[in-house]
Amino acid sequence: MTKLKLTPVAARAKVLSIVWLVLMVIGSIGADQASKVHAQNTLMQWQDEKDPSLYQGQRNPVFALGSPVAEDGNLYFSFSFNYVRNLGAAWGALSNLPDSTRVPFFYAVTVLAVIIIGVYIRSTPLNHRLAIFSLSLILSGAIGNFIDRFRLGYVIDFLDCRWNLFGWRYDFPNFNVADSCITVGVTFLMFDMIVLEGVRKKRASQVATQVPAGTVA
């Protein structure tokens, strides 16, 4: 099949879209790494130079709503900066694996994920803006956490949310900017796949079945 040649305007729009996406990914990764360096410098109180699992972080409350007393019907939400090191995956999964297994495993998984996301971004039409934006956020988060693992051997988490909603008391696992990018990206991507894709198919069906103007039935 012959590939259609883009018009000059469409080609310029494609280049600008690619530049914008690259800048967004670089900016997201930069914000993630800068925030982690700041957390390391301001919240980390003590560390063992040889064992990364031995350290002491500091928790700085930012704001809190309600009372932390655990009672039925009580409402409470707090947000803090709390330095922790994650040697595993999300919520510390697989952190107990030996370094000889854990490190290459996460390297391989991250590289594979980046390749797959890159292929999806390349194959997604430019007019599917939300999907491309979502995939770019996920890519940014994956690279941001990979840099931590490569540079430090662990991921720095420092965002801490805790709540008590009508008796449901929960301390959400600490996370970082890269994790936020991944979460927001996955949420938007699901919305695109479930909602917007249905809208696009409906519009395409309407256009395909539309009777051309001036046609006599």
Side-chain angles (χ1 to χ4, degrees), residues 38-97:
H38 181 73
Q40 175 83 13
N41 293 336
T42 59
L43 299 175
M44 206 277 294
Q45 296 181 316
W46 172 85
Q47 66 176 339
D48 187 283
E49 296 299 332
K50 296 182 179 179
D51 189 346
S53 65
L54 300 177
Y55 67 96
Q56 178 63 49
Q58 180 179 354
R59 182 172 182 268
N60 290 342
V62 177
F63 71 86
L65 301 174
S67 171
V69 179
E71 296 179 353
D72 291 340
N74 190 35
L75 297 178
Y76 172 71
F77 179 84
S78 71
F79 175 75
S80 306
F81 294 133
N82 184 18
Y83 179 91
V84 297
R85 293 176 177 177
N86 184 3
L87 278 70
W91 299 292
L94 306 179
S95 59
N96 293 326
L97 290 176

Short mmCIF file of all heavy atoms in Angstrom, two decimals, residues 38-97:
data_model
loop_
_atom_site.label_atom_id
_atom_site.label_comp_id
_atom_site.label_asym_id
_atom_site.label_seq_id
_atom_site.Cartn_x
_atom_site.Cartn_y
_atom_site.Cartn_z
N HIS A 38 15.81 17.19 45.60
CA HIS A 38 15.44 18.09 46.69
C HIS A 38 15.02 17.30 47.93
O HIS A 38 15.39 17.64 49.06
CB HIS A 38 14.30 19.01 46.24
CG HIS A 38 13.86 19.98 47.29
ND1 HIS A 38 14.61 21.07 47.66
CD2 HIS A 38 12.74 20.01 48.07
CE1 HIS A 38 13.98 21.74 48.61
NE2 HIS A 38 12.85 21.12 48.87
N ALA A 39 14.24 16.23 47.71
CA ALA A 39 13.82 15.40 48.84
C ALA A 39 15.02 14.74 49.50
O ALA A 39 15.10 14.65 50.74
CB ALA A 39 12.83 14.33 48.36
N GLN A 40 15.97 14.28 48.70
CA GLN A 40 17.18 13.66 49.23
C GLN A 40 17.97 14.66 50.09
O GLN A 40 18.47 14.32 51.16
CB GLN A 40 18.05 13.15 48.08
CG GLN A 40 19.40 12.58 48.48
CD GLN A 40 19.33 11.14 48.91
OE1 GLN A 40 18.32 10.48 48.70
NE2 GLN A 40 20.39 10.64 49.53
N ASN A 41 18.05 15.89 49.63
CA ASN A 41 18.86 16.89 50.32
C ASN A 41 18.19 17.46 51.56
O ASN A 41 18.88 17.90 52.49
CB ASN A 41 19.20 18.03 49.36
CG ASN A 41 20.12 17.59 48.23
OD1 ASN A 41 20.86 16.60 48.36
ND2 ASN A 41 20.07 18.30 47.11
N THR A 42 16.86 17.46 51.60
CA THR A 42 16.16 18.13 52.70
C THR A 42 15.50 17.18 53.69
O THR A 42 15.26 17.56 54.85
CB THR A 42 15.08 19.08 52.15
OG1 THR A 42 14.15 18.32 51.35
CG2 THR A 42 15.70 20.17 51.29
N LEU A 43 15.21 15.94 53.27
CA LEU A 43 14.44 15.04 54.13
C LEU A 43 15.26 13.85 54.64
O LEU A 43 14.86 13.21 55.61
CB LEU A 43 13.21 14.51 53.37
CG LEU A 43 12.20 15.54 52.91
CD1 LEU A 43 11.11 14.88 52.08
CD2 LEU A 43 11.59 16.27 54.09
N MET A 44 16.35 13.53 53.98
CA MET A 44 17.15 12.38 54.39
C MET A 44 18.09 12.81 55.52
O MET A 44 18.91 13.71 55.36
CB MET A 44 17.94 11.83 53.20
CG MET A 44 18.28 10.37 53.32
SD MET A 44 19.76 10.08 54.30
CE MET A 44 20.98 10.85 53.25
N GLN A 45 17.96 12.16 56.69
CA GLN A 45 18.72 12.55 57.86
C GLN A 45 19.98 11.71 58.07
O GLN A 45 21.00 12.21 58.53
CB GLN A 45 17.83 12.44 59.11
CG GLN A 45 16.65 13.40 59.09
CD GLN A 45 15.81 13.29 60.35
OE1 GLN A 45 15.51 12.20 60.82
NE2 GLN A 45 15.43 14.43 60.89
N TRP A 46 19.89 10.41 57.76
CA TRP A 46 21.05 9.54 57.98
C TRP A 46 20.96 8.36 57.02
O TRP A 46 19.88 7.90 56.68
CB TRP A 46 21.04 9.02 59.42
CG TRP A 46 22.08 7.96 59.67
CD1 TRP A 46 23.38 8.15 60.00
CD2 TRP A 46 21.90 6.54 59.57
NE1 TRP A 46 24.03 6.94 60.11
CE2 TRP A 46 23.14 5.93 59.86
CE3 TRP A 46 20.80 5.73 59.27
CZ2 TRP A 46 23.32 4.56 59.85
CZ3 TRP A 46 20.97 4.36 59.25
CH2 TRP A 46 22.22 3.78 59.55
N GLN A 47 22.12 7.88 56.58
CA GLN A 47 22.14 6.73 55.70
C GLN A 47 23.43 5.95 55.90
O GLN A 47 24.47 6.50 56.27
CB GLN A 47 22.02 7.15 54.24
CG GLN A 47 23.20 7.96 53.73
CD GLN A 47 23.09 8.29 52.27
OE1 GLN A 47 22.38 7.64 51.52
NE2 GLN A 47 23.80 9.32 51.82
N ASP A 48 23.34 4.65 55.68
CA ASP A 48 24.52 3.80 55.67
C ASP A 48 25.13 3.86 54.28
O ASP A 48 24.44 3.69 53.28
CB ASP A 48 24.13 2.36 56.03
CG ASP A 48 25.34 1.46 56.20
OD1 ASP A 48 25.92 1.06 55.17
OD2 ASP A 48 25.69 1.15 57.35
N GLU A 49 26.41 4.09 54.21
CA GLU A 49 27.07 4.29 52.92
C GLU A 49 27.12 3.02 52.09
O GLU A 49 27.26 3.07 50.87
CB GLU A 49 28.50 4.82 53.13
CG GLU A 49 28.55 6.19 53.79
CD GLU A 49 27.88 7.26 52.95
OE1 GLU A 49 27.84 7.10 51.69
OE2 GLU A 49 27.39 8.25 53.52
N LYS A 50 26.99 1.84 52.73
CA LYS A 50 27.11 0.58 52.01
C LYS A 50 25.77 -0.12 51.79
O LYS A 50 25.58 -0.81 50.80
CB LYS A 50 28.06 -0.36 52.76
CG LYS A 50 29.49 0.17 52.84
CD LYS A 50 30.39 -0.83 53.57
CE LYS A 50 31.83 -0.33 53.64
NZ LYS A 50 32.71 -1.28 54.35
N ASP A 51 24.85 0.04 52.73
CA ASP A 51 23.55 -0.64 52.65
C ASP A 51 22.44 0.39 52.44
O ASP A 51 22.09 1.13 53.35
CB ASP A 51 23.29 -1.42 53.93
CG ASP A 51 22.06 -2.33 53.82
OD1 ASP A 51 21.28 -2.16 52.87
OD2 ASP A 51 21.90 -3.21 54.70
N PRO A 52 21.86 0.49 51.23
CA PRO A 52 20.83 1.50 50.96
C PRO A 52 19.54 1.30 51.74
O PRO A 52 18.73 2.22 51.84
CB PRO A 52 20.59 1.38 49.45
CG PRO A 52 21.01 -0.01 49.11
CD PRO A 52 22.15 -0.33 50.03
N SER A 53 19.34 0.10 52.28
CA SER A 53 18.12 -0.16 53.05
C SER A 53 18.21 0.40 54.47
O SER A 53 17.20 0.45 55.18
CB SER A 53 17.83 -1.65 53.10
OG SER A 53 18.84 -2.35 53.82
N LEU A 54 19.40 0.82 54.88
CA LEU A 54 19.60 1.39 56.21
C LEU A 54 19.70 2.91 56.10
O LEU A 54 20.69 3.44 55.58
CB LEU A 54 20.86 0.83 56.87
CG LEU A 54 20.89 -0.70 57.09
CD1 LEU A 54 22.22 -1.12 57.68
CD2 LEU A 54 19.74 -1.13 57.99
N TYR A 55 18.65 3.60 56.53
CA TYR A 55 18.61 5.06 56.43
C TYR A 55 17.54 5.59 57.38
O TYR A 55 16.73 4.83 57.91
CB TYR A 55 18.30 5.51 55.00
CG TYR A 55 16.90 5.15 54.56
CD1 TYR A 55 15.86 6.08 54.67
CD2 TYR A 55 16.60 3.89 54.07
CE1 TYR A 55 14.57 5.75 54.28
CE2 TYR A 55 15.32 3.55 53.69
CZ TYR A 55 14.30 4.48 53.80
OH TYR A 55 13.03 4.14 53.43
N GLN A 56 17.54 6.89 57.57
CA GLN A 56 16.52 7.53 58.38
C GLN A 56 16.01 8.76 57.64
O GLN A 56 16.77 9.68 57.37
CB GLN A 56 17.07 7.94 59.75
CG GLN A 56 16.06 8.66 60.64
CD GLN A 56 14.86 7.78 60.98
OE1 GLN A 56 15.03 6.63 61.40
NE2 GLN A 56 13.67 8.30 60.81
N GLY A 57 14.73 8.74 57.26
CA GLY A 57 14.14 9.88 56.57
C GLY A 57 13.31 10.74 57.51
O GLY A 57 12.97 10.33 58.63
N GLN A 58 12.98 11.92 57.05
CA GLN A 58 12.20 12.88 57.84
C GLN A 58 10.83 13.09 57.20
O GLN A 58 10.70 13.09 55.98
CB GLN A 58 12.94 14.21 57.94
CG GLN A 58 12.22 15.27 58.74
CD GLN A 58 13.02 16.57 58.81
OE1 GLN A 58 14.17 16.62 58.36
NE2 GLN A 58 12.42 17.60 59.34
N ARG A 59 9.83 13.26 58.04
CA ARG A 59 8.47 13.53 57.57
C ARG A 59 8.08 14.95 57.93
O ARG A 59 8.04 15.31 59.09
CB ARG A 59 7.48 12.53 58.17
CG ARG A 59 6.04 12.71 57.68
CD ARG A 59 5.17 11.56 58.18
NE ARG A 59 3.81 11.66 57.70
CZ ARG A 59 2.83 12.28 58.36
NH1 ARG A 59 3.07 12.81 59.55
NH2 ARG A 59 1.61 12.35 57.85
N ASN A 60 7.79 15.76 56.90
CA ASN A 60 7.38 17.15 57.09
C ASN A 60 5.93 17.33 56.67
O ASN A 60 5.63 17.27 55.47
CB ASN A 60 8.27 18.10 56.28
CG ASN A 60 9.67 18.19 56.83
OD1 ASN A 60 9.93 17.83 57.98
ND2 ASN A 60 10.61 18.67 56.01
N PRO A 61 5.00 17.54 57.61
CA PRO A 61 3.59 17.76 57.24
C PRO A 61 3.43 19.03 56.41
O PRO A 61 4.08 20.05 56.66
CB PRO A 61 2.90 17.90 58.60
CG PRO A 61 3.83 17.26 59.58
CD PRO A 61 5.21 17.52 59.06
N VAL A 62 2.58 18.96 55.38
CA VAL A 62 2.29 20.11 54.55
C VAL A 62 0.94 20.70 54.93
O VAL A 62 0.83 21.89 55.20
CB VAL A 62 2.29 19.72 53.05
CG1 VAL A 62 1.92 20.92 52.18
CG2 VAL A 62 3.66 19.17 52.66
N PHE A 63 -0.11 19.87 54.97
CA PHE A 63 -1.41 20.33 55.45
C PHE A 63 -2.23 19.13 55.89
O PHE A 63 -1.97 17.99 55.51
CB PHE A 63 -2.16 21.13 54.38
CG PHE A 63 -2.66 20.32 53.23
CD1 PHE A 63 -3.89 19.68 53.28
CD2 PHE A 63 -1.91 20.19 52.07
CE1 PHE A 63 -4.36 18.92 52.22
CE2 PHE A 63 -2.37 19.43 51.00
CZ PHE A 63 -3.60 18.80 51.08
N ALA A 64 -3.22 19.42 56.72
CA ALA A 64 -4.11 18.37 57.21
C ALA A 64 -5.50 18.95 57.39
O ALA A 64 -5.66 20.11 57.78
CB ALA A 64 -3.60 17.79 58.54
N LEU A 65 -6.50 18.14 57.06
CA LEU A 65 -7.90 18.53 57.22
C LEU A 65 -8.57 17.55 58.16
O LEU A 65 -8.49 16.33 57.96
CB LEU A 65 -8.61 18.53 55.87
CG LEU A 65 -8.05 19.45 54.78
CD1 LEU A 65 -8.78 19.22 53.46
CD2 LEU A 65 -8.17 20.91 55.20
N GLY A 66 -9.22 18.04 59.18
CA GLY A 66 -9.92 17.18 60.13
C GLY A 66 -9.00 16.70 61.24
O GLY A 66 -7.88 17.17 61.41
N SER A 67 -9.49 15.73 61.98
CA SER A 67 -8.76 15.18 63.12
C SER A 67 -8.28 13.77 62.82
O SER A 67 -9.03 12.96 62.26
CB SER A 67 -9.66 15.16 64.36
OG SER A 67 -9.05 14.46 65.42
N PRO A 68 -7.02 13.44 63.17
CA PRO A 68 -6.49 12.09 62.89
C PRO A 68 -7.02 11.01 63.82
O PRO A 68 -6.69 9.84 63.66
CB PRO A 68 -4.98 12.28 63.08
CG PRO A 68 -4.87 13.38 64.08
CD PRO A 68 -6.02 14.32 63.78
N VAL A 69 -7.84 11.39 64.81
CA VAL A 69 -8.38 10.40 65.74
C VAL A 69 -9.29 9.44 64.99
O VAL A 69 -10.22 9.86 64.29
CB VAL A 69 -9.15 11.09 66.88
CG1 VAL A 69 -9.74 10.04 67.83
CG2 VAL A 69 -8.24 12.03 67.65
N ALA A 70 -9.02 8.14 65.12
CA ALA A 70 -9.78 7.12 64.39
C ALA A 70 -11.12 6.88 65.07
O ALA A 70 -11.21 6.17 66.06
CB ALA A 70 -8.99 5.83 64.32
N GLU A 71 -12.15 7.49 64.56
CA GLU A 71 -13.50 7.29 65.08
C GLU A 71 -14.46 7.15 63.92
O GLU A 71 -14.26 7.71 62.84
CB GLU A 71 -13.93 8.47 65.96
CG GLU A 71 -13.09 8.65 67.22
CD GLU A 71 -13.55 9.85 68.03
OE1 GLU A 71 -14.42 10.59 67.52
OE2 GLU A 71 -13.03 10.05 69.15
N ASP A 72 -15.52 6.38 64.13
CA ASP A 72 -16.54 6.23 63.09
C ASP A 72 -17.15 7.59 62.77
O ASP A 72 -17.56 8.33 63.67
CB ASP A 72 -17.63 5.26 63.54
CG ASP A 72 -17.11 3.83 63.62
OD1 ASP A 72 -16.07 3.56 62.99
OD2 ASP A 72 -17.74 3.02 64.32
N GLY A 73 -17.24 7.90 61.49
CA GLY A 73 -17.82 9.17 61.07
C GLY A 73 -16.82 10.31 61.04
O GLY A 73 -17.16 11.42 60.63
N ASN A 74 -15.59 10.05 61.46
CA ASN A 74 -14.57 11.10 61.46
C ASN A 74 -13.97 11.27 60.06
O ASN A 74 -13.74 10.29 59.36
CB ASN A 74 -13.47 10.75 62.46
CG ASN A 74 -12.51 11.91 62.68
OD1 ASN A 74 -12.93 13.06 62.67
ND2 ASN A 74 -11.25 11.61 62.87
N LEU A 75 -13.73 12.50 59.66
CA LEU A 75 -13.13 12.81 58.37
C LEU A 75 -11.75 13.40 58.58
O LEU A 75 -11.57 14.33 59.38
CB LEU A 75 -14.01 13.78 57.59
CG LEU A 75 -15.41 13.29 57.20
CD1 LEU A 75 -16.17 14.40 56.47
CD2 LEU A 75 -15.32 12.05 56.33
N TYR A 76 -10.77 12.85 57.85
CA TYR A 76 -9.40 13.31 58.01
C TYR A 76 -8.63 13.06 56.72
O TYR A 76 -8.77 12.01 56.09
CB TYR A 76 -8.73 12.59 59.17
CG TYR A 76 -7.25 12.87 59.31
CD1 TYR A 76 -6.80 14.11 59.75
CD2 TYR A 76 -6.30 11.89 58.98
CE1 TYR A 76 -5.44 14.37 59.87
CE2 TYR A 76 -4.94 12.15 59.10
CZ TYR A 76 -4.52 13.38 59.55
OH TYR A 76 -3.17 13.65 59.67
N PHE A 77 -7.81 14.04 56.34
CA PHE A 77 -6.91 13.88 55.19
C PHE A 77 -5.65 14.69 55.46
O PHE A 77 -5.74 15.84 55.91
CB PHE A 77 -7.56 14.35 53.89
CG PHE A 77 -6.63 14.22 52.70
CD1 PHE A 77 -6.53 13.02 52.02
CD2 PHE A 77 -5.87 15.30 52.28
CE1 PHE A 77 -5.68 12.89 50.94
CE2 PHE A 77 -5.01 15.18 51.19
CZ PHE A 77 -4.92 13.97 50.51
N SER A 78 -4.51 14.09 55.20
CA SER A 78 -3.24 14.80 55.40
C SER A 78 -2.31 14.54 54.22
O SER A 78 -2.37 13.49 53.57
CB SER A 78 -2.56 14.35 56.70
OG SER A 78 -2.06 13.03 56.58
N PHE A 79 -1.46 15.52 53.96
CA PHE A 79 -0.44 15.41 52.91
C PHE A 79 0.89 15.86 53.51
O PHE A 79 0.97 16.92 54.13
CB PHE A 79 -0.80 16.26 51.70
CG PHE A 79 0.28 16.28 50.64
CD1 PHE A 79 0.47 15.18 49.83
CD2 PHE A 79 1.07 17.40 50.48
CE1 PHE A 79 1.47 15.19 48.86
CE2 PHE A 79 2.07 17.43 49.52
CZ PHE A 79 2.27 16.32 48.70
N SER A 80 1.92 15.05 53.30
CA SER A 80 3.23 15.34 53.88
C SER A 80 4.33 14.99 52.88
O SER A 80 4.11 14.24 51.93
CB SER A 80 3.45 14.54 55.17
OG SER A 80 2.42 14.74 56.10
N PHE A 81 5.50 15.54 53.14
CA PHE A 81 6.72 15.11 52.47
C PHE A 81 7.41 14.11 53.40
O PHE A 81 7.77 14.47 54.53
CB PHE A 81 7.64 16.28 52.16
CG PHE A 81 7.08 17.25 51.16
CD1 PHE A 81 7.12 18.62 51.39
CD2 PHE A 81 6.51 16.80 49.98
CE1 PHE A 81 6.60 19.50 50.47
CE2 PHE A 81 5.98 17.68 49.05
CZ PHE A 81 6.04 19.04 49.30
N ASN A 82 7.56 12.89 52.96
CA ASN A 82 8.08 11.82 53.81
C ASN A 82 9.07 10.98 53.00
O ASN A 82 8.66 10.26 52.09
CB ASN A 82 6.94 10.97 54.35
CG ASN A 82 7.41 9.91 55.31
OD1 ASN A 82 8.50 9.98 55.85
ND2 ASN A 82 6.58 8.91 55.51
N TYR A 83 10.35 11.06 53.33
CA TYR A 83 11.39 10.41 52.54
C TYR A 83 11.45 8.91 52.83
O TYR A 83 11.64 8.50 53.97
CB TYR A 83 12.74 11.04 52.86
CG TYR A 83 13.92 10.43 52.12
CD1 TYR A 83 14.31 10.94 50.89
CD2 TYR A 83 14.61 9.36 52.66
CE1 TYR A 83 15.39 10.40 50.22
CE2 TYR A 83 15.69 8.80 51.98
CZ TYR A 83 16.07 9.32 50.76
OH TYR A 83 17.14 8.77 50.09
N VAL A 84 11.27 8.09 51.79
CA VAL A 84 11.47 6.65 51.89
C VAL A 84 12.16 6.16 50.62
O VAL A 84 12.11 6.81 49.58
CB VAL A 84 10.14 5.88 52.08
CG1 VAL A 84 9.45 6.28 53.38
CG2 VAL A 84 9.21 6.10 50.90
N ARG A 85 12.80 5.00 50.74
CA ARG A 85 13.47 4.38 49.60
C ARG A 85 12.73 3.10 49.23
O ARG A 85 12.47 2.26 50.09
CB ARG A 85 14.92 4.06 49.95
CG ARG A 85 15.78 5.29 50.15
CD ARG A 85 17.18 4.91 50.59
NE ARG A 85 18.03 6.09 50.72
CZ ARG A 85 19.30 6.05 51.14
NH1 ARG A 85 19.84 4.89 51.48
NH2 ARG A 85 20.00 7.17 51.22
N ASN A 86 12.43 2.98 47.96
CA ASN A 86 11.72 1.79 47.46
C ASN A 86 12.69 0.97 46.62
O ASN A 86 13.08 1.38 45.53
CB ASN A 86 10.51 2.21 46.64
CG ASN A 86 9.69 1.02 46.18
OD1 ASN A 86 9.98 -0.12 46.51
ND2 ASN A 86 8.65 1.29 45.40
N LEU A 87 13.08 -0.20 47.14
CA LEU A 87 13.98 -1.07 46.42
C LEU A 87 13.25 -2.00 45.47
O LEU A 87 13.88 -2.72 44.68
CB LEU A 87 14.82 -1.91 47.39
CG LEU A 87 16.05 -1.24 48.00
CD1 LEU A 87 15.66 -0.15 48.99
CD2 LEU A 87 16.94 -2.27 48.69
N GLY A 88 11.90 -2.00 45.54
CA GLY A 88 11.12 -2.91 44.71
C GLY A 88 10.29 -2.17 43.68
O GLY A 88 10.64 -1.08 43.22
N ALA A 89 9.15 -2.78 43.33
CA ALA A 89 8.23 -2.19 42.37
C ALA A 89 7.22 -1.33 43.14
O ALA A 89 7.52 -0.85 44.23
CB ALA A 89 7.54 -3.29 41.57
N ALA A 90 6.03 -1.14 42.57
CA ALA A 90 5.00 -0.35 43.23
C ALA A 90 4.67 -0.95 44.59
O ALA A 90 4.52 -2.17 44.72
CB ALA A 90 3.76 -0.28 42.35
N TRP A 91 4.55 -0.08 45.60
CA TRP A 91 4.23 -0.49 46.97
C TRP A 91 5.26 -1.46 47.55
O TRP A 91 4.95 -2.26 48.41
CB TRP A 91 2.83 -1.09 47.05
CG TRP A 91 1.78 -0.13 46.64
CD1 TRP A 91 1.40 1.01 47.29
CD2 TRP A 91 0.98 -0.19 45.46
NE1 TRP A 91 0.42 1.66 46.60
CE2 TRP A 91 0.13 0.95 45.47
CE3 TRP A 91 0.89 -1.10 44.41
CZ2 TRP A 91 -0.78 1.20 44.46
CZ3 TRP A 91 -0.03 -0.83 43.40
CH2 TRP A 91 -0.84 0.30 43.44
N GLY A 92 6.50 -1.38 47.03
CA GLY A 92 7.57 -2.19 47.59
C GLY A 92 7.58 -3.64 47.16
O GLY A 92 8.32 -4.45 47.71
N ALA A 93 6.77 -4.00 46.17
CA ALA A 93 6.72 -5.39 45.72
C ALA A 93 8.08 -5.85 45.20
O ALA A 93 8.79 -5.10 44.54
CB ALA A 93 5.67 -5.55 44.62
N LEU A 94 8.46 -7.06 45.52
CA LEU A 94 9.70 -7.70 45.09
C LEU A 94 10.96 -7.06 45.67
O LEU A 94 12.07 -7.34 45.21
CB LEU A 94 9.81 -7.70 43.54
CG LEU A 94 8.63 -8.29 42.78
CD1 LEU A 94 8.87 -8.20 41.27
CD2 LEU A 94 8.40 -9.74 43.17
N SER A 95 10.80 -6.23 46.70
CA SER A 95 11.95 -5.56 47.29
C SER A 95 12.85 -6.52 48.06
O SER A 95 14.01 -6.20 48.34
CB SER A 95 11.49 -4.44 48.22
OG SER A 95 10.66 -4.95 49.26
N ASN A 96 12.33 -7.71 48.41
CA ASN A 96 13.12 -8.67 49.18
C ASN A 96 13.96 -9.59 48.31
O ASN A 96 14.70 -10.42 48.83
CB ASN A 96 12.19 -9.52 50.06
CG ASN A 96 11.52 -8.70 51.16
OD1 ASN A 96 12.12 -7.76 51.68
ND2 ASN A 96 10.29 -9.04 51.49
N LEU A 97 13.85 -9.45 47.00
CA LEU A 97 14.67 -10.27 46.12
C LEU A 97 16.14 -9.89 46.25
O LEU A 97 16.46 -8.73 46.51
CB LEU A 97 14.23 -10.08 44.67
CG LEU A 97 12.87 -10.65 44.25
CD1 LEU A 97 12.58 -10.28 42.80
CD2 LEU A 97 12.84 -12.16 44.42
#
